[in-house]
Amino acid sequence: MADAFSLLLTWQNLLLLLAGTGLGIVVGAIPGLTASMLIALTLPLTFHMDPVSAVTLLIGEYVGGISGGLITAILLRMPGTPASIVTTFDGYPMAQDNRAERALALGILASVVGGIISWVFLAGMSPSLARFALQFGPWEYFTLVLMALVMLAALAHSSMVKGLLAAALGMAFALPGIDSSVGQARLTFGSDALLSGFGLLPVLIGAFAISQILRDSCSVDSGTATALPKSRLPVAWSDARQHGANMVRSSVIGTWIGLLPGIGANIAALVAYSTAKQLSKEPDSFGKGHEPGVVAGESANNASIGGALIPLITMGIPGSVTEAILIGALTIHNLQPGPLLFQNAPEIAYGIIAAYLVANIIMLVLMWSAVKYIARLAQIPRAGLLGCILIFCVVGSYAVNNSFIDVWVMIGFGVIGLGLEAARVPLGPFVIGFVLSPIAEEQLRASLMMSDGDVTEILTRPYALLFLALAALTLMWPVILERIRSGRTRLESDHA
């Protein structure tokens, strides 16, 4: 860890982390633009960087992108990122009550506290979990990926069926190309362009950036007038005593929810907000400009980043779309996230941990000193932004292989992403299914080869059975819950 910090604190990497965090804050403060989109767009820029510098830049963008959303959530009731939706509940009423500076100050402090507390878990748990994961064989990894896909689908914002459909569709699009096991082309339909399959970067840029551009181009506005903060952000040492317990509790909730694949920062913020409301002596004040509401939401959504990074670097399982893109970044640099990352590339594994802590500190400095100016981005016309983003999309996709085929792939998946969202099919399971499908196939084939095709060997693997049981329980839980509710309703009616 000390070596990772010494490497990170060189002027080149520190400058990249500063640039990434600042750019993330700016993008996060613009409604409609997300950290996932930013990381996908800047991924081509990391091709010629060393892996440590590339990871440093992307981690900074991730932290800044999640944190920056609180600015427009408080000032405009327009969350810059989905993770800041809960912040609008009390942050915007505070702004309407001429307490915008107070809401911004509490939101920024809560974000930093959440990030630091989740870093403690990230630094403390990751090496131990990685050593534990070294005991896993192909069966364990296959069932772990299967469990992650099922949980992602089940916890999608729409129905479970649509979530499973999205994951299956993503896995299907990962099939064309050369079969690595037998070296033969499959599902290429005679096209040489499909021999290498669909590139990860064009798919990611298309599914998120292009689909967002297509959707926003139908309703481009010219900006919204808002009262910007003018005075110094008010905060005092007494706030630590007043909101400290709420910050710590919400940060722990956000970290542990971040560990679960597919739930995301917005759900973490909602759970922390609900918990704070239930434990409060003034529950009726929530939603009317109550300070603990802002503190709970911002502590949890930032803490969920550290929680989501734990399964990413220890087991190679992305907890959200952004982590899936980070896996793509590591893959581009010939690095495989998982337990061997701590053995084969410890400078990367510990570099991610170190970069996350320093990015939170940089985020505090930047947002505290420049929040008044960043808030003006909410007034920029969206038409100009969309045009610039489209140029970056085309250049980024073309730069992968210097081929216009990747540009067409990007456009095609942009249309697919737009269609999926129009049908209320979530994009998260679709993209993560695309990323995890090759891993699942490779591990399943290795398992079958080691057992001579005997599937029953899985019954002798306790961890594999545990992951299968969790996947089955996730699928069956809605049915079980419905049975419990119907039984309770019958008992109440009989009693009446």
Side-chain angles (χ1 to χ4, degrees), residues 142-154 160 164 458 463-481:
F142 170 70
T143 51
L144 180 63
V145 172
L146 183 65
M147 181 192 72
L149 286 171
V150 170
M151 291 183 72
L152 283 163
M160 182 189 293
L164 290 171
I458 198 173
Y463 292 127
L465 284 176
L466 174 63
F467 296 144
L468 275 180
L470 289 173
L473 180 62
T474 303
L475 284 174
M476 295 168 57
W477 181 248
V479 178
I480 296 173
L481 193 60

Side-chain angles (χ1 to χ4, degrees), residues 11 24 38 89 133 144 178 259 282 285 299 305 319 336 396 417 426 448 455:
W11 72 267
L38 174 63
F89 296 169
L144 180 63
I178 301 295
L259 277 167
E282 304 174 286
S285 299
S299 299
I305 303 175
Q336 181 60 50
L448 293 175
V455 183

Side-chain angles (χ1 to χ4, degrees), residues 287-309:
K288 301 175 183 178
H290 200 38
E291 292 183 358
V294 176
V295 169
E298 284 302 317
S299 299
N301 65 27
N302 221 44
S304 68
I305 303 175
L309 287 174

Side-chain angles (χ1 to χ4, degrees), residues 124-155:
M125 293 177 61
S126 295
S128 301
L129 275 177
R131 286 192 293 270
F132 170 70
L134 284 173
Q135 305 174 30
F136 289 2
W139 280 118
E140 283 77 12
Y141 272 109
F142 170 70
T143 51
L144 180 63
V145 172
L146 183 65
M147 181 192 72
L149 286 171
V150 170
M151 291 183 72
L152 283 163
L155 296 169

Side-chain angles (χ1 to χ4, degrees), residues 27 29 71 89 130 188 198 255 262 290 297 300 314-315 330 336 348-350 362 365 370 406 417 433 447 481 484:
V27 169
I71 298 174
F89 296 169
T188 60
F198 296 112
T255 302
H290 200 38
T314 59
M315 300 179 186
L330 293 173
Q336 181 60 50
I348 300 297
Y350 287 99
I362 291 176
V365 175
D406 288 330
S447 303
L481 193 60
I484 293 173

Side-chain angles (χ1 to χ4, degrees), residues 236-383:
W237 286 109
S238 59
D239 292 327
R241 183 172 62 254
Q242 181 182 356
H243 298 293
N246 188 9
M247 285 186 186
V248 173
R249 181 183 62 245
S250 300
S251 300
V252 173
I253 290 173
T255 302
W256 286 102
I257 289 181
L259 277 167
L260 303 174
I263 296 185
N266 49 343
I267 303 299
L270 187 60
V271 172
Y273 183 88
S274 301
T275 304
K277 184 177 180 179
Q278 291 170 359
L279 298 177
S280 174
K281 297 178 180 178
E282 304 174 286
D284 294 335
S285 299
F286 281 77
K288 301 175 183 178
H290 200 38
E291 292 183 358
V294 176
V295 169
E298 284 302 317
S299 299
N301 65 27
N302 221 44
S304 68
I305 303 175
L309 287 174
I310 295 174
L312 171 71
I313 62 177
T314 59
M315 300 179 186
I317 299 298
S320 69
V321 174
T322 309
E323 278 84 37
I325 301 174
L326 289 175
I327 283 183
L330 293 173
T331 305
I332 288 172
H333 290 279
N334 297 318
L335 297 168
Q336 181 60 50
L340 291 177
L341 189 66
F342 282 86
Q343 290 188 0
N344 300 335
E347 72 280 3
I348 300 297
Y350 287 99
I352 291 174
I353 298 172
Y356 178 61
L357 176 64
V358 179
N360 275 280
I361 297 171
I362 291 176
M363 180 267 292
L364 170 64
V365 175
L366 289 179
M367 290 189 68
W368 198 265
S369 59
V371 66
K372 303 170 189 175
Y373 310 104
I374 298 171
R376 296 181 184 276
L377 293 169
Q379 298 179 322
I380 296 177
R382 296 287 293 282

Side-chain angles (χ1 to χ4, degrees), residues 377-463:
L377 293 169
Q379 298 179 322
I380 296 177
R382 296 287 293 282
L385 289 173
L386 294 179
C388 294
I389 293 170
L390 181 60
I391 293 173
F392 280 116
C393 290
V394 174
V395 172
S397 295
Y398 178 80
V400 179
N401 299 307
N402 292 328
S403 171
F404 272 107
I405 292 174
D406 288 330
V407 177
W408 289 112
V409 169
M410 175 196 73
I411 295 172
F413 276 90
V415 175
I416 290 172
L418 183 66
L420 289 176
E421 291 200 325
R424 299 187 180 277
V425 176
L427 280 180
F430 171 77
V431 172
I432 295 180
F434 181 85
V435 172
L436 292 183
S437 178
I439 301 174
E441 180 182 6
E442 178 185 348
Q443 299 299 332
L444 178 60
R445 290 186 181 228
S447 303
L448 293 175
M449 288 178 63
M450 290 173 59
S451 62
D452 293 327
D454 184 11
V455 183
T456 59
E457 186 178 320
I458 198 173
L459 300 176
T460 65
R461 316 286 297 195
Y463 292 127

